[in-house]
Amino acid sequence: MKTRLRNLRENAVMRKLVRETTLAPHDLVMPYFVRTGRGVRRPIASMPGQFQLSVDELVREVRTLGKTGVESILLFGIPARKDARGSGAYASNGIVQQAVRAVKDAAPGLLVITDVCLCEYTDHGHCGLIRRGRVDNDSTLPLLQKTAASHVDAGADVVAPSGMMDGVVAALREALPRTTLLSYAAKYASAFYGPFRQAAESAPQFGDRSDYQMDVANAEEALREIELDIREGADIIMVKPALAYLDVLRRAKEKFGWPSAAYSVSGEYAMVKAAAERGWIDEKKIVLEILTSIKRAGADFIVTYFARGAAPWMT
Ligand code: PBG
């Protein structure tokens, strides 16, 4: 035997020398849910360790986030009132707009990404306007433009359209030529979002999202979605969920070589938390293994609810 692959596994220093994938806190984006009120820190039952925060509590949170090495956050809003047109999404003093201003004030160096979608703001819980029982694509686009523009006015660095409307990236690029666009390019109609809908109070009140989000069975279609978003002006493309779609992430990275992100979603977080609480898995090891595998598959960075908690484990 001339080739002895175990030689390089002999000790930790050697293993580190030849390690192909590394993880650092700055590879992670921490999502937060922000709601109205003061002093609110409401635990999310389906996502142990995560909270709905009022703006003042979010500010406290981000003041100390920098110490962990995590430098980017993603904001979701839960408005006081919902209506058919999701008007809270694009109100200049809406909850996300207030939160962005406060965060930028308290922690100017933090990169602030905002989720651009209507589902948290519509009374029917869908990601766009309803016409004849279906989410209407083209009349939704101007509302998403307004939403993104109001986030940028408030100081957001990056806007992330997540509603899977056709042409949304082109619409945002036209409205915001100088803003970084992180497109949820391949977003699947996934059961892994279950805990999020409790967190964001955004469950659809009728039907489901399978007439705009992607069929979990499709990968070629994901590549078409991603290619189109790149052509329309996406700076970064994202695959969501992460772990069950690493094949898509890998193929996208190989095919387009574009800045690529993965969203490790609420259900991925909840499964790990639930098993760890029962003592069935080693949370720290599992989280590092999952995040490493997502990077290995092709992600330049990862949106994950573990960001804050896992950052200290990465030394
Ligand atoms: C909004 C949105 C969702 C998620 C991110 N943005 C919910 C959905 O599509 O139903 C899910 C994130 C998660 O599960 O962590 N469209």
Side-chain angles (χ1 to χ4, degrees):
M1 277 194 285
K2 219 162 46 172
T3 306
R4 310 289 302 212
L5 290 173
R6 287 186 56 203
N7 287 350
L8 296 181
R9 299 177 199 142
E10 189 171 340
N11 64 59
V13 176
M14 180 64 76
R15 289 193 294 271
K16 277 189 275 185
L17 276 181
V18 298
R19 181 165 293 155
E20 298 172 32
T21 308
T22 54
L23 261 186
H26 65 248
D27 296 326
L28 309 179
V29 176
M30 180 68 199
Y32 286 109
F33 301 97
V34 58
R35 64 176 303 131
T36 48
R38 278 195 78 77
V40 180
R41 194 175 168 84
R42 190 187 288 186
I44 299 163
S46 55
M47 300 175 70
Q50 303 300 314
F51 302 84
Q52 294 181 343
L53 303 171
S54 52
V55 173
D56 56 321
E57 288 291 322
L58 174 66
V59 163
R60 271 164 48 123
E61 183 80 21
V62 300
R63 280 216 168 96
T64 54
L65 185 67
K67 288 192 200 109
T68 69
V70 175
E71 296 173 320
S72 309
I73 65 169
L74 170 63
L75 291 179
F76 293 96
I78 303 137
R81 275 180 312 279
K82 300 177 190 246
D83 59 31
R85 297 181 58 80
S87 51
Y90 39 91
S92 55
N93 208 26
I95 185 66
V96 165
Q97 293 80 354
Q98 287 178 41
V100 172
R101 282 190 202 100
V103 167
K104 277 289 167 188
D105 224 36
L110 208 60
L111 186 96
V112 177
I113 309 171
T114 56
D115 188 83
V116 174
C117 194
L118 300 186
C119 61
E120 291 113 72
Y121 304 89
T122 51
D123 49 15
H124 46 72
H126 278 288
C127 301
L129 295 177
I130 303 293
R131 272 200 195 152
R132 293 187 207 95
R134 198 177 174 208
V135 171
D136 187 65
N137 198 91
D138 295 7
S139 61
T140 299
L141 295 179
L143 301 186
L144 296 175
Q145 286 176 313
K146 275 166 71 169
T147 302
S150 69
H151 293 172
V152 172
D153 276 348
D157 301 290
V158 179
V159 292
S162 67
M164 288 299 278
M165 293 299 116
D166 286 334
V168 66
V169 174
L172 296 194
R173 176 50 78 223
E174 189 195 315
L176 300 163
R178 305 277 308 277
T179 300
T180 301
L181 303 180
L182 164 58
S183 168
Y184 288 71
K187 178 174 175 182
Y188 286 88
S190 168
F192 283 102
Y193 310 148
F196 174 96
R197 291 179 188 169
Q198 186 178 350
E201 301 176 12
S202 63
Q205 299 303 300
F206 63 90
D208 59 27
R209 303 206 201 290
S210 42
D211 89 325
Y212 42 104
Q213 298 179 349
M214 279 188 49
D215 185 331
V216 303
N218 298 353
E220 297 295 339
E221 184 189 1
L223 298 178
R224 292 199 292 277
E225 283 279 5
I226 291 166
E227 180 167 19
L228 203 54
D229 281 7
I230 291 173
R231 288 219 194 113
E232 289 181 21
D235 298 287
I236 306 164
I237 58 97
M238 186 151 71
V239 174
K240 174 184 176 189
L243 212 46
Y245 301 87
L246 295 186
D247 58 323
V248 175
L249 188 63
R250 160 56 50 187
R251 288 177 67 182
K253 191 65 178 179
E254 276 177 359
K255 183 158 186 191
F256 304 113
W258 212 251
S260 303
Y263 195 141
S264 180
V265 301
S266 55
E268 298 177 65
Y269 176 85
M271 290 195 307
V272 170
K273 282 289 183 186
E277 268 173 18
R278 285 163 180 74
W280 292 347
I281 56 169
D282 179 328
E283 178 174 350
K284 177 176 167 180
K285 283 191 178 151
I286 289 265
V287 169
L288 291 175
E289 182 173 335
I290 289 173
L291 296 176
T292 301
S293 68
I294 297 170
K295 272 202 83 185
R296 192 195 64 231
D300 297 298
F301 65 90
I302 307 165
V303 180
T304 169
Y305 303 95
F306 285 112
R308 185 174 185 127
W313 302 338
M314 288 171 194
T315 47

